[in-house]
């Protein structure tokens, strides 16, 4: 089912005081479980793929599988490429059925980040595909992008406004103090930057590093204008932990459908829990 596009869905969410959950999936089972979660709550959802997942399946095979799942879903399912630093891979995914692409030029100097975004935007927009950009350095590990805590850098307000305007992006992920992976302490989130950016630009804001943030943190960020929240590590945990739990509980059972169903429930519950928090104050 397709209703709103990526940007329309985020603008609608912001206007109605909720955020769209964006979950990193890595195979058919995880994609289907996240769609089941969204369908149970009757909410739109973003399925994100890492570049590693794209390379593993190939854009054509992965795109075909995800498009088919999205097509059959009773809710709007948007297929998004997460943290892509390579313009050619971004273009291959655009050509293979993705709805939106994150071009991650955050390691580049500002003008090169803008130029990279513009190149992807120009290719994408001609085909009706949307683009997310990042500024500042989000800490932690996501796919093959590793940023040590000491190197994580928050985005600067003036630069961020300039970047959002000049790059032509449809959604903006500024580094605000959240991090990918499991938090070792309480993150220091720059709420003021989120608030000021929301006032200064129209581009919907994206929060990375959703795993481990408190419900209060999510809701405060949403109240300040966050419209898309990324969750990856929690989905990986749901998959691997439930796999280990099933094997421990059923060492002699040879029933792959039952095994899949157990992992499906774990991922579905995890996605539903996050989506319920993201929409708790929906109007
Ligand atoms: P987590 O792995 O911390 O949930 O972050 C996900 C993310 O931001 C993907 O881009």
């Amino acid at each position: 089912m397709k209703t709103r596009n990526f940007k329309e869905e985020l603008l609608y969410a912001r206007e109605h005081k909720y955020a769209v959950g964006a979950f990193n999936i890595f195979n058919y089972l995880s994609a289907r479980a996240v769609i089941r979660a969204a369908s149970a709550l009757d909410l739109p959802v973003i399925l994100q793929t890492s570049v590693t997942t794209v390379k593993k399946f190939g854009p054509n095979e992965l795109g075909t599988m995800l498009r088919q799942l999205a097509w059959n879903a009773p809710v709007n399912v948007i297929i998004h490429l997460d943290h892509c630093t390579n313009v050619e891979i971004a273009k291959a995914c655009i050509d293979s059925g993705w709805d939106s692409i994150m071009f991650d030029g955050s390691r580049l100097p500002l003008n090169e980040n803008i130029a990279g975004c513009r190149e992807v935007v120009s290719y994408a927009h001609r085909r009706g595909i949307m683009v997310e950009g990042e500024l500042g350095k989000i800490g932690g590990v996501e796919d093959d992008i590793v940023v040590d805590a000491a190197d994580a850098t928050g985005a600067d307000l003036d630069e961020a406004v300039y970047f959002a305007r000049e790059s032509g992006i449809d959604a903006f992920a500024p580094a605000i103090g959240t991090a990918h992976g499991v938090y070792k302490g309480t993150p220091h989130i720059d709420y003021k930057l989120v608030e000021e950016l929301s006032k200064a630009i129209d581009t919907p804001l994206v929060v990375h590093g959703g795993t481990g943030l408190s419900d209060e943190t999510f809701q405060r960020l949403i109240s300040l204008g966050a419209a898309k929240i990324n969750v990856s590590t929690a989905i990986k945990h749901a998959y691997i932990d439930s796999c280990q739990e099933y094997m421990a509980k059923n060492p002699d059972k040879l029933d792959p459908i039952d095994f899949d169903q157990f992992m499906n429930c774990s991922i579905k519950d995890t996605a539903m829990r996050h989506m319920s928090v993201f929409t708790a104050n929906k109007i």
Side-chain angles (χ1 to χ4, degrees):
M1 177 174 144
K2 177 78 34 245
T3 45
R4 301 182 189 95
N5 69 29
F6 174 79
K7 186 173 186 181
E8 290 165 349
E9 203 62 89
L10 299 192
L11 289 172
Y12 185 87
R14 188 175 67 185
E15 194 189 327
H16 292 84
K17 308 274 177 232
Y18 69 95
V20 181
F23 300 94
N24 290 59
I25 53 83
F26 34 80
N27 59 12
Y28 177 75
L29 190 150
S30 55
R32 193 159 171 268
V34 169
I35 293 177
R36 291 271 161 111
S39 307
L41 295 171
D42 196 21
L43 288 170
V45 72
I46 297 172
L47 296 186
Q48 307 194 137
T49 60
S50 69
V51 169
T52 298
T53 305
V54 171
K55 284 182 181 164
K56 187 181 138 214
F57 286 90
N60 188 30
E61 186 178 326
L62 184 60
T64 304
M65 175 184 86
L66 295 177
R67 282 258 59 87
Q68 193 62 40
L69 281 169
W71 180 254
N72 289 331
V75 291
N76 192 15
V77 176
I78 290 165
I79 301 165
H80 179 81
L81 178 64
D82 197 26
H83 288 286
C84 183
T85 54
N86 181 310
V87 173
E88 293 317 309
I89 294 176
K91 289 180 180 172
C93 287
I94 291 168
D95 293 341
S96 300
W98 271 250
D99 298 300
S100 52
I101 302 291
M102 177 189 189
F103 175 73
D104 181 353
S106 59
R107 287 177 169 201
L108 303 170
L110 179 64
N111 284 337
E112 287 176 39
N113 188 356
I114 291 173
C117 284
R118 286 172 79 121
E119 186 179 348
V120 178
V121 164
S122 144
Y123 191 85
H125 282 187
R126 270 184 278 140
R127 293 158 176 84
I129 305 304
M130 308 284 126
V131 180
E132 175 183 330
E134 174 180 328
L135 188 71
K137 287 193 191 127
I138 298 171
V141 181
E142 182 54 48
D143 209 17
D144 56 359
I145 301 172
V146 182
V147 179
D148 291 336
D151 293 334
T153 323
D156 166 82
L157 177 65
D158 291 339
E159 255 186 30
V161 172
Y162 176 76
F163 172 75
R165 292 199 176 128
E166 292 299 309
S167 58
I169 52 173
D170 305 289
F172 181 22
I176 57 166
T178 57
H180 297 119
V182 175
Y183 290 100
K184 293 198 178 75
T186 310
H188 298 291
I189 298 175
D190 191 346
Y191 294 104
K192 190 159 169 270
L193 177 64
V194 179
E195 187 174 12
E196 289 179 341
L197 263 176
S198 290
K199 286 185 187 145
I201 57 170
D202 262 349
T203 319
L205 299 180
V206 180
V207 173
H208 283 243
T211 299
L213 295 179
S214 68
D215 294 2
E216 294 70 35
T217 301
F218 284 132
Q219 282 160 11
R220 189 165 169 199
L221 288 166
I222 293 166
S223 75
L224 296 174
K228 170 179 181 266
I229 300 182
N230 289 7
V231 178
S232 174
T233 304
I235 299 293
K236 288 184 200 160
H237 263 296
Y239 187 80
I240 301 287
D241 295 352
S242 61
C243 174
Q244 288 172 339
E245 190 185 333
Y246 187 93
M247 300 306 284
K249 278 186 184 158
N250 307 284
D252 302 319
K253 204 164 175 179
L254 194 65
D255 186 345
I257 302 276
D258 191 53
F259 177 57
D260 275 11
Q261 186 54 23
F262 191 78
M263 292 198 286
N264 174 77
C265 286
S266 171
I267 294 176
K268 183 181 167 204
D269 289 350
T270 302
M272 280 180 77
R273 189 161 30 80
H274 284 88
M275 281 190 270
S276 299
V277 176
F278 300 166
T279 52
N281 299 318
K282 185 171 183 263
I283 53 170

